[in-house]
Amino acid sequence: MVEDREGAALQAIVYQRDAGLAVDVNGIARRFGRKWALRGVSLRVEAGEVVAVVGRNGSGKTTLLRILATLLRPTRGGGRIYGHDLVSEAAEIRELVGLLGHAPGIYGDLTAQENLVFALRMMGRTPDRSAVLEALEAVGLAREAGERARHFSAGMQRRLALARMFLQRPRLILLDEPYASFDPEGIERVNAFLKESSARGAAALVATHDLARAAAVVDRVVRMDAGTLVEESWTRPADTGGEPAAFAVGPGEGRGEWNA
Amino acid sequence: MTISASRPAAAQAPGPARRIQVLGWIAFLAVLVAEAVSLWTSPPDRDMGHLQKLMYVHVPAAWMALLAYGLVFVLSLLYLWKRDERHDLLAAAAAEVGVVMNALALALGSIWGRPTWGVWWTWDARLTSTAVLLVIFLGYLALRAFTEDPDRRARWSAAVGILGFLNSYIVYMSVRWWRTLHQVQSSPETLDPIYTRGLRMNAIAFLLVLVYFVARRYRAARLERAAEARIEEAALAGEGVHV
Amino acid sequence: MERVRGWRRELARAGAIVWKDLTAERRTRANFNAVVSLAVLTLLLFGFALGPDTEALRAAAAGVLWLTVLFSGVLAFNRSYQLELENGALDTLLLYPGERRSIFLGKLGANFAFVLLVELVVVPVAAVIYNLPLLRPFPGLAGVMLLGTLGFVTLGTFYAAMASRSRAREVLLPLLLFPMMIPVLVGSVEATSALLAGDPMGDSGAWLRLLVVFDLVFLVASVLAFEHVIEE
């Protein structure tokens, strides 16, 4: 009986650990015609973690993010996002994932507010005016709510896209070069969003070549080069001042010390 | 449990060409025999004279085109279901041979029509629908030519092949109604039964020819794919460290 | 219960796309003006090409009308996707939770409304130029326009999902779409001709049935095949 209880308890711990894995992918490779953009990337990200993916242009960061978002199918390899299979359960993954790509994906002929209302309807939710205005305020676009997005600067357009992500509240946040074409105020909002999301248990992957800006919110850094993950390191967050944990990939290892 | 896709089956090189070559000889012989039998044993048609013998080739060519397109349809469905590249390569081979058969059928139909009706083209229901099908599958081949990415090319041409074939019967029915409405001259719907034996032999011979050419085209596509796969593997293994 | 909520959500998503496309179009009118202008021009050109004899023109009118719809309407389909491709909005659409087919149905609905609005201008203009009686055959005529347009827009929206992302988009869309349109062209022209002449033989019913079959087959086939072609 005792054994059984221990066994069950052990199972429960393992389950919890697995449930904490936002991203668990192995050997992801992706070919475009003859060229391999990704050559076998394995990565694990836990719920609540913010991981920076750094690398030059062309190192495969964008492709990796797009595969995790289920916009692309991997040519080889696979994995799970919050337990859902990357290829066969893509629809379930889309309920949990949000991607902010290079292009803002907004419609110039609609106003800021209409863009967000459209987004809500596409998410299958009722268009809640107050939520929309709240999101616009959070990114500093409340005054421009009724203006056509065509008149926005690039930074404002990206902020609108960020507002869309606010409304979505994804459990896995994928940001592709969020610090590009954002003014310092915008950058602050991105980092605030990352902090707040991480606190409520969402995971985030931030592809950037500007690590300095991300340093404040990032827990871990991975570097990519020519389609592979070449190294990993822990960063020390500014506020805890704890010792950096051991180099590790895998659920739970080293993280415990962190959270203590 | 993670899924990892090993090297896809399509990347492996196909077997030896010997069997296809044998098939080729058999097909060639079958055509010779079929033509010999047809031409020697059937008398000239009452109305048409020797011209009617064009039917021995025109009709089987049309049937084979349709069969080839049907093959494209089935293979396209299979591809979208299983995502196995081999289905896509075979579908493309079938489409190419089908287009050739289709063009042959059209050309022969037109040649038959010139002395018969006095014009190179009338809007005969079967001939017209065959022409429409030809254009539809030329579009299929054009799409493949314009699409570089192999995965996208396979998915897109599968969709086009499926829709194209679905339309074949609808096109035929609409053109037929259209013609009966306007009562343009018609081609004989049935051939004199004395032609049946020759027709059947030709049908079999043409079937063998179809299978032979599709097999050769498919094999060539597989060889190409296997060679590319080797380059891909080399490129993949060239650098990169897993963490 | 899960499933009922599912299709309601999908309907709402499709509706959102229809609203978005029509609102954007209403604000710029760029597409609409261009397509209507081209259509009217095409009607005139056909008039010049087929000669000033009003009887001959009237006999050819149904064919001219439908060819005009095809040649000008085809412009709308690629432009509908262009809207999404410009700002990376297609990716965003694909990322929302829910069925991809709702995106297709939304685009289809918007294109359908668009082409119908174009026809609302083109048909009266054709009636004037080609001297056609519009009032008496109206209900039947409306039916033919709706069914024929639906078939056209269904396949146009479907093929444009591919053509608009291809290198050869201007050529590829007509090349793929027009051969498939033969049954719609034949059926619509014959039904329209019959109705304009008072339908002495009662032919229009049979043609309308053909159009219904075509529309059903290709609506189902396109909806099913869409998710395979819309992925990257």
Side-chain angles (χ1 to χ4, degrees):
Chain A
M1 287 307 274
V2 175
E3 265 177 0
D4 277 348
R5 245 184 288 130
E6 262 181 25
L10 212 56
Q11 284 282 45
I13 294 172
V14 169
Y15 178 78
Q16 263 172 6
R17 278 225 210 118
D18 283 347
L21 270 183
V23 177
D24 181 11
V25 297
N26 289 298
I28 300 280
R30 171 73 199 197
R31 171 171 60 98
F32 289 107
R34 291 249 175 108
K35 187 179 173 311
W36 289 96
L38 288 178
R39 297 167 184 279
V41 170
S42 305
L43 182 67
R44 281 175 197 74
V45 178
E46 280 183 56
E49 245 196 310
V50 177
V51 177
V53 182
V54 302
R56 284 192 311 247
N57 285 336
S59 51
K61 310 194 296 289
T62 301
T63 308
L64 179 62
L65 290 189
R66 288 169 69 82
I67 288 182
L68 293 178
T70 74
L71 280 181
L72 286 175
R73 280 198 189 201
T75 314
R76 308 267 175 91
R80 293 181 174 272
I81 308 265
Y82 283 109
H84 297 292
D85 183 82
L86 197 57
V87 175
S88 59
E89 295 175 88
E92 284 86 338
I93 294 180
R94 285 206 302 277
E95 310 260 353
L96 305 168
V97 152
L99 171 66
L100 180 57
H102 290 292
I106 61 178
Y107 300 100
D109 295 311
L110 300 182
T111 65
Q113 190 169 355
E114 285 169 342
N115 265 287
L116 292 183
V117 166
F118 174 68
L120 279 177
R121 292 174 70 182
M122 287 306 290
M123 292 180 218
R125 291 155 54 177
T126 46
D128 180 2
R129 284 284 146 80
S130 53
V132 165
L133 286 172
E134 220 182 285
L136 285 174
E137 265 188 49
V139 295
L141 285 175
R143 275 183 315 148
E144 286 86 355
E147 267 188 54
R148 306 247 179 111
R150 192 173 289 292
H151 305 309
F152 287 5
S153 67
M156 291 163 77
Q157 288 189 354
R158 288 201 105 204
R159 274 194 272 155
L160 185 55
L162 187 63
R164 184 175 60 220
M165 200 174 263
F166 280 3
L167 287 172
Q168 198 183 357
R169 304 178 79 70
R171 283 178 66 191
L172 174 60
I173 297 163
L174 303 170
L175 301 180
D176 199 348
E177 303 290 354
Y179 304 116
S181 71
F182 260 133
D183 46 20
E185 193 201 329
I187 290 170
E188 260 316 298
R189 296 180 197 276
V190 170
N191 284 342
F193 174 60
L194 285 173
K195 263 212 180 92
E196 182 258 335
S197 306
S198 160
R200 63 176 168 81
L205 269 158
V206 182
T208 178
H209 36 302
D210 193 350
L211 195 49
R213 296 201 200 281
V217 292
V218 151
D219 301 314
R220 183 157 60 109
V221 177
V222 300
R223 193 162 79 79
M224 285 188 68
D225 186 32
T228 46
L229 223 91
V230 292
E231 73 182 64
E232 245 184 279
S233 53
W234 299 98
T235 59
R236 181 194 316 203
D239 41 16
T240 63
E243 289 296 313
F247 181 101
V249 183
E253 284 177 81
R255 291 288 294 134
E257 296 164 38
W258 231 197
N259 286 323
Chain B
M1 263 262 279
T2 53
I3 292 178
S4 75
S6 53
R7 265 181 84 221
Q12 282 147 21
R18 169 88 33 87
R19 277 179 298 180
I20 301 181
Q21 275 170 347
V22 168
L23 178 62
W25 282 113
I26 296 178
F28 181 58
L29 280 170
V31 172
L32 283 180
V33 168
E35 301 320 330
V37 169
S38 318
L39 294 173
W40 258 262
T41 61
S42 58
D45 181 78
R46 291 188 293 278
D47 310 308
M48 301 285 137
H50 287 286
L51 185 66
Q52 194 66 343
K53 302 198 178 170
L54 267 179
M55 287 294 131
Y56 280 134
V57 183
H58 163 73
V59 173
W63 287 347
M64 289 309 126
L66 212 56
L67 181 61
Y69 294 153
L71 207 60
V72 174
F73 177 69
V74 171
L75 290 165
S76 297
L77 284 172
L78 275 173
Y79 176 77
L80 288 183
W81 180 27
K82 298 278 189 174
R83 297 290 174 103
D84 185 345
E85 266 186 285
R86 290 176 294 181
H87 293 138
D88 172 60
L89 295 176
L90 190 55
E96 281 186 34
V97 180
V99 160
V100 172
M101 288 283 184
N102 198 340
L104 182 65
L106 267 179
L108 291 176
S110 181
I111 292 173
W112 181 89
R114 180 73 171 95
T116 313
W117 302 316
V119 289
W120 288 109
W121 185 261
T122 71
W123 295 85
D124 168 68
R126 278 176 308 183
L127 213 57
T128 308
S129 357
T130 308
V132 174
L133 263 185
L134 179 62
V135 181
I136 289 178
F137 280 91
L138 280 175
Y140 173 97
L141 294 177
L143 176 65
R144 287 193 74 95
F146 282 129
T147 310
E148 305 260 297
D149 179 53
D151 173 63
R152 193 182 250 200
R153 181 174 60 215
R155 282 181 289 119
W156 286 9
S157 45
V160 169
I162 291 170
L163 290 185
F165 185 75
L166 276 176
N167 211 5
S168 55
Y169 188 65
I170 303 179
V171 168
Y172 175 62
M173 286 312 294
S174 39
V175 174
R176 204 168 119 173
W177 286 353
W178 180 59
R179 271 194 5 101
T180 54
L181 211 58
H182 294 266
Q183 269 144 2
V184 185
Q185 67 218 144
S186 56
S187 72
E189 287 288 320
T190 51
L191 288 170
D192 201 301
I194 210 164
Y195 286 83
T196 319
R197 183 157 55 125
L199 208 58
R200 274 206 208 111
M201 293 192 71
N202 266 294
I204 295 174
F206 267 71
L207 182 59
L208 290 171
V209 170
L210 176 75
V211 173
Y212 170 64
F213 277 111
V214 172
R216 278 202 68 165
R217 185 64 190 86
Y218 175 58
R219 185 159 194 282
R222 286 289 304 276
L223 284 171
E224 208 181 310
R225 180 75 192 91
E228 267 184 34
R230 265 199 283 280
I231 299 177
E232 278 163 26
E233 290 302 315
L236 186 58
E239 342 159 26
V241 174
H242 290 216
V243 173
Chain C
M1 244 27 247
E2 202 41 76
R3 231 189 234 172
V4 172
R5 184 154 31 107
W7 74 253
R8 268 193 241 279
R9 177 169 95 159
E10 296 311 321
L11 197 60
R13 278 158 44 84
I17 291 185
V18 173
W19 171 83
K20 182 229 348 143
D21 278 6
L22 292 180
T23 305
E25 184 55 40
R26 188 163 36 97
R27 295 200 180 149
T28 58
R29 295 248 166 79
N31 278 350
F32 187 74
N33 292 341
V35 173
V36 167
S37 310
L38 183 63
V40 172
L41 187 59
T42 308
L43 283 175
L44 284 172
L45 287 177
F46 269 117
F48 282 113
L50 297 174
D53 175 11
T54 42
E55 271 320 297
L57 283 182
R58 187 190 272 215
V64 167
L65 179 62
W66 280 100
L67 280 182
T68 301
V69 167
L70 249 55
F71 290 151
S72 46
V74 78
L75 291 178
F77 303 134
N78 271 341
R79 313 264 334 238
S80 157
Y81 286 99
Q82 219 71 341
L83 185 67
E84 313 296 342
L85 295 173
E86 263 161 13
N87 252 341
L90 185 60
D91 279 348
T92 312
L93 277 183
L94 291 174
L95 277 172
Y96 290 120
E99 305 263 359
R100 262 73 188 271
R101 57 191 63 161
S102 312
I103 300 176
F104 177 68
L105 289 171
K107 283 285 169 193
L108 173 57
N111 285 338
F112 187 53
F114 182 86
V115 176
L116 280 182
L117 284 172
V118 170
E119 287 169 359
L120 221 56
V121 173
V122 167
V123 171
V125 171
V128 166
I129 299 182
Y130 293 86
N131 206 2
L132 307 170
L134 273 194
L135 247 44
R136 201 173 9 106
F138 185 71
L141 212 57
V144 177
M145 297 307 292
L146 281 173
L147 288 175
T149 305
L150 184 58
F152 175 48
V153 170
T154 303
L155 284 181
T157 307
F158 185 77
Y159 285 122
M162 298 182 275
S164 62
R165 293 185 290 154
S166 164
R167 298 183 280 152
R169 64 179 66 103
E170 292 87 12
V171 138
L172 202 57
L173 183 56
L175 186 60
L176 291 176
L177 180 59
F178 286 161
M180 297 288 285
M181 285 291 108
I182 302 293
V184 171
L185 189 59
V186 163
S188 306
V189 169
E190 290 301 319
T192 305
S193 276
L195 286 168
L196 286 176
D199 201 2
M201 309 282 198
D203 288 326
S204 56
W207 292 115
L208 284 171
R209 277 196 295 280
L210 172 74
L211 288 176
V212 169
V213 169
F214 184 94
D215 289 353
L216 271 176
V217 167
F218 287 106
L219 190 59
V220 170
S222 309
V223 166
L224 290 178
F226 186 73
E227 61 182 292
H228 295 285
V229 307
I230 199 63
E231 286 175 23
E232 166 85 22

